[in-house]
């Protein structure tokens, strides 16, 4: 058979197959474009910010969750309900992992289905004290991969966002990390979390000690993991580490850091796992690895470990310095 004959046979059969596969490809890529969901997420985050701004200025009822430093207010719960019901109305088949729903006893399971991972107020202790860094964090994952992230720093009015493969932005201005490679020239950010047990406290303070000893330029804490991570994406700080936070604190901002050119890894140097409750976000891999070498983690139950699921909080009431404080009476384990 001549080459020409072979070619004519091939083109008769191959063309429809090629057409079919390119159609499938086109459809798949159209399916994988989550821009409409992201724009809707931004729209409802703007509405939620109004609720937070109003409540920020007034007296709040405060409740305790896993520890005397793990606070929740009615606004956290209200904003989460508001976000989830708005998303459900538009995308009835989507799934949710929300901080306050999990605290109320809902199971924390990340499946391959489109899932919104929500922290209605990141920085609740700041919110209670009117320390002006409070954020809404919304991540959206499909096949367990984060497709977009939104972090709205409400008081500053800074809206951070990133879509996978499309860069990171703050109020529509493109973001880039500092690119710093030298740990001794780094400004670091971390958080003293909600844990108050001896092992966690000793580990957190010795980590700070070891990093200051390197030495680094300084260590800061803003009070919201989501905003801390976004500061790495702006180049305003060079690296962030945190142990004990949850997936809703950092799922959105991890994508924002990566899309701004940064790296996100586990504190033990391995690949980032949003359920592991350990993170280093840095301007470069060399800085991230140097931090991983210096610090230690205290043990935390994974977010997706069924034993980590909290029982519903039991609350009793007392008062504290102008804010109404409800004290936890029952066992409510989240740490
Ligand atoms: N158990 C925990 N340990 C450490 N950080 C936690 C934590 N629980 C929540 N965080 C988050 O860490 C930062 C402050 O330490 C906040 O972003 C806070 O989120 P939250 O305000 O939504 O509770
Ligand atoms: Mg949070
Ligand atoms: Mg929160």
């Amino acid at each position: 058979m001549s080459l020409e004959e072979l070619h004519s046979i091939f083109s008769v059969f191959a063309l429809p197959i090629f057409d079919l596969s390119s159609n499938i490809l086109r459809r798949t890529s159209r399916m994988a474009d989550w821009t409409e969901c992201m724009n809707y997420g931004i729209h409802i985050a703007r509405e939620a910010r109004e609720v937070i701004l109003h409540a920020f200025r007034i007296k709040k009822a405060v409740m305790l969750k896993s520890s005397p430093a793990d606070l929740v207010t009615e606004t956290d719960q209200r904003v989460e309900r508001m976000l989830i019901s708005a998303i459900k109305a538009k995308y009835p088949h989507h799934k949710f992992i929300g901080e306050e729903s999990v605290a109320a006893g809902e199971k924390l399971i990340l499946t391959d289905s489109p899932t919104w991972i929500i922290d209605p107020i990141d920085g609740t202790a700041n919110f209670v004290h009117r320390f002006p860094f409070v954020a809404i964090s919304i991540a959206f994952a499909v096949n367990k991969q984060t497709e977009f992230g939104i972090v709205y720093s409400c008081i500053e009015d800074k809206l951070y966002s990133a879509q996978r493969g499309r860069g990171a932005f703050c109020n529509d201005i493109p973001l880039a990390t500092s690119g710093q490679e030298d740990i001794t020239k780094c400004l670091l950010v971390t958080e003293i979390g909600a844990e108050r047990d001896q092992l966690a406290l000793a580990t957190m303070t010795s980590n700070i000690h070891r990093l200051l000893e390197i030495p680094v330029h300084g260590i800061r804490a803003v009070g919201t993991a989501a905003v801390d991570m976004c500061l790495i994406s702006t180049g305003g700080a060079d690296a962030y580490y945190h142990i004990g936070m949850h997936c809703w604190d950092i799922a959105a901002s991890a994508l924002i850091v990566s899309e701004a050119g940064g790296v996100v890894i586990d504190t033990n140097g391995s690949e980032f796992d949003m359920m592991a409750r350990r993170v280093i976000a840095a301007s470069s891999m060399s800085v991230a690895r140097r931090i991983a070498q210096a610090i230690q983690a205290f043990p935390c139950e994974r977010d997706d470990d069924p034993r980590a699921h909290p029982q519903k909080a039991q609350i009793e009431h007392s008062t504290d310095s102008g804010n109404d404080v409800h004290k936890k009476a029952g066992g409510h384990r989240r740490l």
Side-chain angles (χ1 to χ4, degrees):
M1 193 183 291
S2 75
L3 209 61
E4 283 79 4
E5 282 171 307
L6 255 181
H7 180 80
S8 62
I9 293 167
F10 177 78
S11 50
V12 167
F13 291 104
L15 208 66
I17 294 166
F18 174 76
D19 267 351
L20 188 69
S21 61
S22 62
N23 264 341
I24 291 168
L25 266 178
R26 255 200 304 276
R27 211 170 324 132
T28 326
S29 63
R30 214 183 308 135
M31 272 162 58
D33 185 354
W34 301 103
T35 308
E36 185 198 284
C37 289
M38 179 160 119
N39 290 340
Y40 188 62
I42 290 173
H43 168 72
I44 56 174
R46 289 192 193 284
E47 286 184 352
R49 173 182 177 251
E50 295 304 316
V51 176
I52 291 173
L53 281 190
H54 173 76
F56 187 74
R57 298 184 199 104
I58 60 177
K59 200 169 151 186
K60 303 155 190 78
V62 183
M63 295 163 277
L64 304 184
K65 294 198 284 187
S66 61
S67 85
D70 190 5
L71 313 182
V72 62
T73 71
E74 279 163 11
T75 310
D76 296 63
Q77 295 163 340
R78 183 175 161 203
V79 168
E80 181 160 319
R81 276 198 305 272
M82 181 181 159
L83 292 171
I84 292 179
S85 63
I87 298 163
K88 266 188 184 159
K90 199 163 162 68
Y91 304 107
H93 302 300
H94 288 185
K95 303 217 172 324
F96 299 89
I97 294 174
E99 175 176 16
E100 307 315 334
S101 310
V102 171
E106 238 172 64
K107 285 198 165 55
L108 193 165
I109 306 169
L110 181 62
T111 64
D112 286 343
S113 304
T115 304
W116 299 72
I117 304 168
I118 297 175
D119 189 342
I121 299 186
D122 189 49
T124 300
N126 287 355
F127 176 70
V128 166
H129 290 270
R130 300 197 194 96
F131 189 77
F133 297 94
V134 167
I136 300 162
S137 177
I138 302 173
F140 180 78
V142 184
N143 296 323
K144 302 190 180 72
Q145 183 171 45
T146 310
E147 291 291 339
F148 63 79
I150 301 162
V151 172
Y152 200 168
S153 183
C154 298
I155 316 299
E156 301 179 281
D157 196 10
K158 287 188 177 166
L159 195 141
Y160 297 91
S161 64
Q163 201 171 354
R164 190 163 62 84
R166 300 191 189 179
F169 299 85
C170 178
N171 292 348
D172 296 328
I173 296 163
L175 295 173
T177 58
S178 68
Q180 182 58 255
E181 304 246 350
D182 179 351
I183 188 77
T184 66
K185 296 194 175 113
C186 281
L187 185 64
L188 305 187
V189 187
T190 189
E191 286 298 335
I192 308 299
E195 292 82 3
R196 293 294 181 266
D197 62 279
Q198 284 307 311
L199 178 61
L201 291 179
T203 313
M204 281 189 283
T205 48
S206 86
N207 285 343
I208 290 172
H209 191 125
R210 284 164 199 232
L211 290 164
L212 288 173
E213 238 175 9
I214 288 177
V216 296
H217 278 178
I219 303 185
R220 307 283 184 264
V222 177
T224 129
V227 173
D228 291 328
M229 298 260 287
C230 288
L231 286 170
I232 311 310
S233 71
T234 68
D238 304 294
Y240 173 72
Y241 72 94
H242 193 164
I243 299 141
M245 77 293 143
H246 299 276
C247 57
W248 44 76
D249 295 311
I250 43 120
S253 50
L255 183 68
I256 293 169
V257 170
S258 310
E259 288 296 324
V263 298
V264 182
I265 62 171
D266 192 290
T267 57
N268 62 20
S270 64
E271 204 182 319
F272 171 63
D273 173 352
M274 74 159 91
M275 296 295 167
R277 303 182 64 193
R278 298 184 299 263
V279 69
I280 297 174
S283 51
S284 64
M285 191 50 95
S286 55
V287 164
R289 289 218 176 103
R290 185 67 188 84
I291 294 170
Q293 211 178 48
I295 67 171
Q296 285 180 337
F298 48 86
C300 302
E301 278 164 347
R302 287 178 60 83
D303 266 337
D304 55 3
D305 182 336
R307 287 168 305 175
H309 293 179
Q311 301 128 34
K312 207 172 159 83
Q314 291 171 33
I315 311 292
E316 74 186 26
H317 178 267
S318 77
T319 319
D320 182 27
S321 61
N323 286 319
D324 285 339
V325 176
H326 301 261
K327 285 211 171 118
K328 187 191 70 164
H332 177 70
R333 280 182 70 237
R334 273 209 313 144
L335 293 175

